Structure formats: C-alpha cells, structure tokens
Amino acid sequence: MTNNNIENTFADILSFKPLIDKAGNLHSPAKIEEWLMEIGTTIRCDSIHLIGFKPLSPTAYQHHVIGPNHLIMEDTLNLDAAYENCKESHTPYAIKVKGSEYGLMVPLRGVSGIVGCVLITSDSYIDSRQQEWHWSILGLHLLQALKRSFSKDKIKITKRERDCILWASEGKTSWEISQILGISERTVNFHLNNCIEKTNSANRQQAIVKYLFNHTL
C-alpha cells in the first residue's frame, strides 16, 4: 500500500513537469487557456477557468476570466465574493455552477500584486484536498503567467508625467514640483491633468493611487 502511494504521487509530479516547463513561455490569455486545458486533461475534470484580479486602488480591481465560455462564467459568479476569498483564504471551497454537478474554487497566492483562483467543474466528485495539492504546485506558475499578461495593461505615461505624479505622491504642490523640475507651474498642471485623464480618474489624488497600484505590480 505504501509503495503504491509513493508511486502514484511520483507519477503525478512527473505528469506536471511538462506543464511547468511550458509555463515560462505563457504570455497571453490564449496560451494560458491552452495550458489550462492540458491541466484539465491531466487531473481529469470537465473544465478549468482562471480568474485573476489586479488591484487598481484600495476599493477597486481589474479582473480577467480565462477559460471556455468565460463570458458565461462572469455572469454566473459573484466576482466581489471571489476576490475577497482570494485575498483572505488559501482553502478550496465548493461552489454551485450552472450546468455542472460539482464546482470547486481554489484560491491562488504567491505573486505580489495579483491574486487569483481557479474554478474547476466536473460531473464527478472533486476531492478538494487533492486539488489543493495540485494547485500548490501549479498555482505559482499560473499567477506568474497571468502577471506577464497583466503587464501589457500598464498605464503608459511619459517620463515628465511620471516625474510630476511621483512628486505629487510625496505631497508636493504644483509650484513646489515646478521648482524641483525646473519647469513652469502651468506645465506641471498640464502633465498632472494628462495623468488624471490617462488613469480615468476624477482628481489628482485618485490618479496618484491608480498610478502607484498599477506600477508597483
């Protein structure tokens, strides 16, 4: 009995190695979805969806759902609840998903600035303890791939805009920034207004928060 358990565990690790080796080349949602399908075949489930969350501010986040019928999944799930669970818990939990007998949500942690979870669906019972073991191995690689995809969404600002908003984040006024950078106060306000527009913010303070969250991931 003991030998069989050891052999089965070793076989599982070997089956994941090609998937882990492939993970370093995942740079797009399409490649991540392809990878998820391979994992689904390995662990014998119907489907796997990845839900990734990137904080934009203390109260807002950007999300991506990757997997088959992902638009249906977004309508079905309570994303706010999923986000809170991802931030607070490591423990898989059962979830009801329309059209599937069993659903299991597994929080993923391990990459600074991004949290996520995988939603596994199946017509047969899903062992949450086994899935927790699987994703303790795969989750970090999946979040790293997701982070590479998110990096393409960084807010693009010019060097001078960056200088102005970073000094503003230090509490400097437009006049003080103008003295530090050797430009006019009017030019500082022009750059900061560009930052407000590019971050889709209502004011300077919100632009600072969005920029800092976006560029520290």
Side-chain angles (χ1 to χ4, degrees), residues 109-182:
R109 304 285 286 278
V111 174
S112 174
I114 292 179
V115 296
C117 55
V118 289
L119 173 60
I120 305 167
T121 62
S122 178
D123 289 332
S124 57
Y125 173 72
I126 304 172
D127 187 333
S128 62
R129 290 171 302 178
Q130 183 186 51
Q131 291 304 322
E132 189 171 11
W133 181 85
H134 287 149
W135 293 103
S136 68
I137 296 173
L138 296 171
L140 177 61
H141 300 281
L142 189 55
L143 286 178
Q144 287 173 333
L146 187 61
K147 186 173 184 178
R148 288 192 292 272
S149 296
F150 273 138
S151 67
K152 298 176 182 178
D153 299 328
K154 282 192 181 294
I155 298 167
K156 295 178 174 61
I157 68 172
T158 67
K159 181 183 183 300
R160 188 57 89 187
E161 289 166 352
R162 173 183 175 275
D163 292 339
C164 289
I165 201 166
L166 287 178
W167 280 116
S169 73
E170 296 290 332
K172 302 297 184 183
T173 66
S174 293
W175 181 85
E176 289 172 326
I177 296 170
S178 73
Q179 299 306 299
I180 293 168
L181 298 180

Side-chain angles (χ1 to χ4, degrees), residues 164-207:
C164 289
I165 201 166
L166 287 178
W167 280 116
S169 73
E170 296 290 332
K172 302 297 184 183
T173 66
S174 293
W175 181 85
E176 289 172 326
I177 296 170
S178 73
Q179 299 306 299
I180 293 168
L181 298 180
I183 57 179
S184 70
E185 185 176 353
R186 181 178 178 181
T187 300
V188 171
N189 288 331
F190 172 77
H191 289 314
L192 290 175
N193 285 335
N194 283 345
C195 292
I196 291 170
E197 183 177 341
K198 288 180 178 181
T199 58
N200 193 29
S201 299
N203 51 47
R204 181 182 301 193
Q205 289 71 31
Q206 187 180 21

